[in-house]
């Protein structure tokens, strides 16, 4: 079983601890449709570096051939299986399966409260972790992910890479990275984390870009309903 070790967070990551999950939920959506069977999932929010200046976060691009969330940029993660001792365990296992991550190089710091997902009504718990000894990662499960990469936090904080996107009555934060559009759940978590840690720089939250058009211009190869 994987335990949480907040005391082992490096000094620069200490401000990232203690995120108010309710504030992040507001960024995603306030009301979700109840699921017939609420499935528990977890994602790994894995950060590496010696300071914010050289800090990076691990992300994946979900294969466009998947039936759900195809083409989206996401944290590694997935559903909690019977064999998982905890949601932290689930996040680490999924990350290992998807990216080849060596879980012995990771220090889990904090498990956020459960976040409701608009499309399904299921819950996802982000697990904040520090990659104390970074190693090689790759698309270890090509059927699920076709790109695995780290993004500098400074790049995410750059106002030129931040935007609001909207579709129908929904709107939320988004990021541009490597030609991809990071939006939805992943962007909501990143935005909440950066705001809480004091890493955000003032950016234009007033102009809302059309989500469909923004995806068309991206490399996501993502299909919208």
């Amino acid at each position: 079983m994987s335990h949480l070790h907040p005391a082992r967070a490096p000094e620069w990551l200490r401000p990232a601890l203690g995120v108010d999950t309710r504030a992040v939920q507001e960024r995603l959506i306030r009301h979700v449709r109840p699921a017939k069977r609420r499935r528990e999932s977890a994602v790994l929010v894995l950060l590496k570096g010696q300071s914010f200046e050289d800090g990076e976060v691990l992300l994946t691009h979900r294969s466009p051939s998947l039936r759900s969330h195809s083409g989206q940029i996401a944290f590694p993660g997935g559903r909690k299986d019977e064999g998982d001792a905890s949601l932290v365990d689930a996040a680490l296992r999924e990350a290992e399966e998807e990216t080849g991550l060596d879980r012995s190089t990771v220090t889990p710091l904090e498990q956020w409260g459960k976040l409701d997902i608009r499309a399904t009504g299921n819950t996802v718990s982000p697990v904040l972790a520090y990659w104390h000894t970074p190693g090689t990662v790759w698309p270890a499960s090509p059927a699920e992910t076709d790109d695995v990469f780290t993004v500098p936090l400074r790049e995410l904080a750059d106002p030129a890479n931040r935007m609001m996107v909207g579709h129908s009555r929904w709107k939320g934060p988004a990021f541009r990275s490597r030609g991809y559009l990071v939006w939805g759940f992943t962007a909501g978590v990143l935005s909440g984390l950066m705001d809480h840690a004091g890493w955000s720089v003032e950016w234009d939250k007033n102009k809302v870009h059309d989500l469909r058009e923004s995806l068309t211009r991206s490399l996501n190869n993502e299909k919208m309903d």
Side-chain angles (χ1 to χ4, degrees):
M1 180 175 179
S2 300
H3 298 284
L4 298 169
H5 303 280
R8 296 185 190 173
E11 192 65 33
W12 73 274
L13 264 181
R14 299 270 170 88
L17 300 175
V19 169
D20 182 358
T21 312
R22 293 170 299 178
V24 178
Q25 186 70 64
E26 290 283 326
R27 285 182 171 85
L28 299 174
I29 192 166
R30 297 183 187 181
H31 305 291
V32 296
R33 69 185 189 193
K36 293 180 180 177
R37 179 188 173 196
R38 288 169 73 82
R39 292 177 175 142
E40 287 189 318
S41 298
V43 295
L44 189 67
V45 184
L46 184 61
L47 302 176
K48 69 174 184 175
Q50 302 304 309
S51 68
F52 171 76
E53 297 302 314
D54 72 347
E56 299 185 21
V57 61
L58 180 67
L59 294 175
T60 73
H61 178 244
R62 289 176 59 82
S63 172
S65 62
L66 286 172
R67 283 189 296 177
S68 64
H69 307 297
S70 59
Q72 289 187 5
I73 299 299
F75 300 111
R79 292 178 190 164
K80 181 177 181 289
D81 287 348
E82 288 184 6
D84 295 322
S86 64
L87 285 167
V88 176
D89 227 31
L92 288 169
R93 175 187 54 76
E94 286 281 351
E96 199 169 39
E97 292 174 1
E98 293 176 14
T99 73
L101 177 74
D102 179 355
R103 63 193 295 169
S104 70
T105 65
V106 174
T107 302
L109 302 176
E110 186 173 69
Q111 179 183 320
W112 290 16
K114 297 174 182 177
L115 291 167
D116 294 307
I117 302 302
R118 176 174 64 104
T120 62
N122 292 318
T123 64
V124 178
S125 297
V127 175
L128 182 67
Y130 179 54
W131 202 359
H132 56 79
T133 310
T136 303
V137 286
W138 66 94
S141 178
E144 292 183 84
T145 58
D146 61 9
D147 196 7
V148 173
F149 56 96
T150 58
V151 180
L153 296 174
R154 289 187 66 183
E155 180 182 310
L156 293 176
D158 186 342
N161 295 325
R162 301 199 67 174
M163 59 195 293
M164 291 291 290
V165 293
H167 176 65
S168 185
R169 292 179 294 174
W170 175 86
K171 66 178 181 179
F175 300 83
R176 300 182 184 93
S177 177
R178 295 165 57 105
Y180 292 124
L181 180 73
V182 186
W183 68 283
F185 176 85
T186 305
V189 169
L190 284 173
S191 184
L193 176 68
M194 294 179 69
D195 286 354
H196 175 79
W199 299 336
S200 291
V201 179
E202 192 62 35
W203 57 284
D204 186 2
K205 302 180 183 71
N206 296 317
K207 183 177 181 181
V208 179
H209 299 258
D210 182 80
L211 175 58
R212 193 181 298 275
E213 290 180 7
S214 299
L215 284 172
T216 299
R217 291 194 297 269
S218 77
L219 298 177
N220 290 39
N221 194 14
E222 186 175 338
K223 300 174 181 64
M224 286 185 62
D225 294 334

